[in-house]
Amino acid sequence: MSYKTLLVHIDDSRHTSIRIALALDLARRWDAHLIGLYAVSTDTFRRSFPHENRASFAAFEAQLAERQQSAHDAFLAAAERSGHRSIEWRAPRGPALEVATLHARHADLLILGQDDPRDADSYVAPKFVGSLVLDAGRPALVIPHAATVNSPGENILVAWDGSREAARAVADALPLLKAARYVSVDIVRRAEPHSEAPVGIDVAAWLDSHGVNASFSLTPHRPGTRTGASLLARASDLHFDLIVMGAYGHSRARERVFGGVTQTMLESMTIPVLMSH
């Protein structure tokens, strides 16, 4: 198993160049086709042209086209520097989340960026990344905005709870897990002295059948600390460079609601996280 088609989300934020460089590195690693998908919000940009007249609309369209062309040129230039030739640029029109979801469903792995509240250009749509992970049906490698990221996957922490989502994430991460130097299957829970064998042992055995030599560990629950925060603390303490986990969420009325660990990761991740739903 390998990733043969990667899709990297491109916007106008300052973090885009980091995502593109990482995506190109992964595309070379797996000899994969890389799609650069330009999808941005026009809402904030449109407010700069409040008057509904032809001249204002023309100016809006011209600046939007200029931004898109700049992103296109930067993507091609990065690919040229990397030497990777199998690339494709897409800039579909329409609601950003809808078109991104449609195009994401035809890729093996998505490379997305964590929303950065300090960079207005990183905003695409409400809960864009989490919604894309839940609706696209494809694994997503989400890159944090607050860290320098090299090619991840040397030391991987698998967050395991025995759920369908966790099982999906582990299966989707196999190409990365097989290439890793060290893999740990980890459960965060309160100590139960008379409990049965930890559920992570079975998945470690399954991984072994796929050539992944994984260890098993139980992270003690820290009083007053959320599970997601405990996972991030463990990843930091032991120098993991990637977390693999299932993503949880549902729609409540018209609002997307994420599970606690998923929400913590989307808001507070400090290393890349591969999520599947």
Side-chain angles (χ1 to χ4, degrees):
M1 176 184 174
S2 182
Y3 305 121
K4 301 310 296 181
T5 302
L6 310 182
L7 183 146
V8 58
H9 172 236
I10 296 174
D11 54 29
D12 298 321
S13 73
R14 61 179 178 269
H15 307 293
T16 289
S17 60
I18 296 173
R19 285 201 301 277
I20 291 174
L22 176 59
L24 285 165
D25 182 67
L26 294 175
R28 289 196 307 271
R29 181 190 304 185
W30 293 305
D31 191 25
H33 180 63
L34 177 62
I35 299 167
L37 181 73
Y38 183 76
V40 299
S41 169
T42 59
D43 295 343
T44 303
F45 188 45
R46 191 185 297 273
R47 294 192 190 104
S48 302
F49 303 88
H51 303 294
E52 296 297 331
N53 57 58
R54 290 185 179 182
S56 180
F57 180 77
F60 166 76
E61 287 288 310
Q63 290 203 25
L64 198 63
E66 183 179 345
R67 288 189 175 201
Q68 179 177 313
Q69 187 63 47
S70 177
H72 170 269
D73 294 345
F75 176 64
L76 294 187
E80 182 70 23
R81 290 192 300 271
S82 75
H84 191 70
R85 303 293 183 183
S86 184
I87 62 167
E88 179 182 351
W89 169 265
R90 296 180 187 175
R93 299 298 292 264
L97 180 56
E98 291 181 19
V99 298
T101 301
L102 176 63
H103 287 262
R105 287 175 179 159
H106 304 94
D108 296 319
L109 179 68
L110 316 178
I111 296 95
L112 310 176
Q114 179 193 23
D115 182 42
D116 183 358
R118 297 168 300 178
D119 185 351
D121 287 332
S122 75
Y123 173 82
V124 179
K127 301 182 179 179
F128 174 74
V129 172
S131 297
L132 193 55
V133 171
L134 294 182
D135 294 337
R138 291 293 186 266
L141 183 61
V142 186
I143 310 303
H145 63 70
T148 300
V149 178
N150 297 316
S151 186
E154 184 175 359
N155 299 307
I156 301 178
L157 179 68
V158 177
W160 182 258
D161 60 4
S163 67
R164 178 187 69 83
E165 288 82 359
R168 180 72 267 162
V170 173
D172 286 338
L174 271 178
L176 284 159
L177 294 169
K178 288 182 177 181
R181 183 180 65 85
Y182 180 74
V183 176
S184 177
V185 178
D186 201 89
I187 296 177
V188 179
R189 68 177 187 185
R190 291 176 176 83
E192 299 175 8
H194 302 295
S195 63
E196 297 178 356
V199 295
I201 289 177
D202 289 336
V203 73
W206 178 80
L207 285 169
D208 185 66
S209 72
H210 284 272
V212 179
N213 183 19
S215 64
F216 171 80
S217 63
L218 181 67
T219 296
H221 177 78
R222 302 181 181 186
T225 303
R226 291 185 175 183
T227 298
S230 295
L231 284 168
L232 288 171
R234 177 168 174 77
S236 176
D237 291 345
L238 298 181
H239 305 291
F240 287 99
D241 60 15
L242 176 66
I243 295 175
V244 172
M245 59 173 281
Y248 304 84
H250 63 277
S251 293
R252 182 182 298 164
R254 295 184 178 182
E255 181 184 6
R256 173 69 80 186
V257 180
F258 300 113
V261 178
T262 305
Q263 186 70 40
T264 298
M265 290 296 174
L266 290 173
E267 292 178 350
S268 306
M269 65 173 62
T270 52
I271 62 173
V273 180
L274 187 143
M275 293 182 166
S276 283
H277 177 68

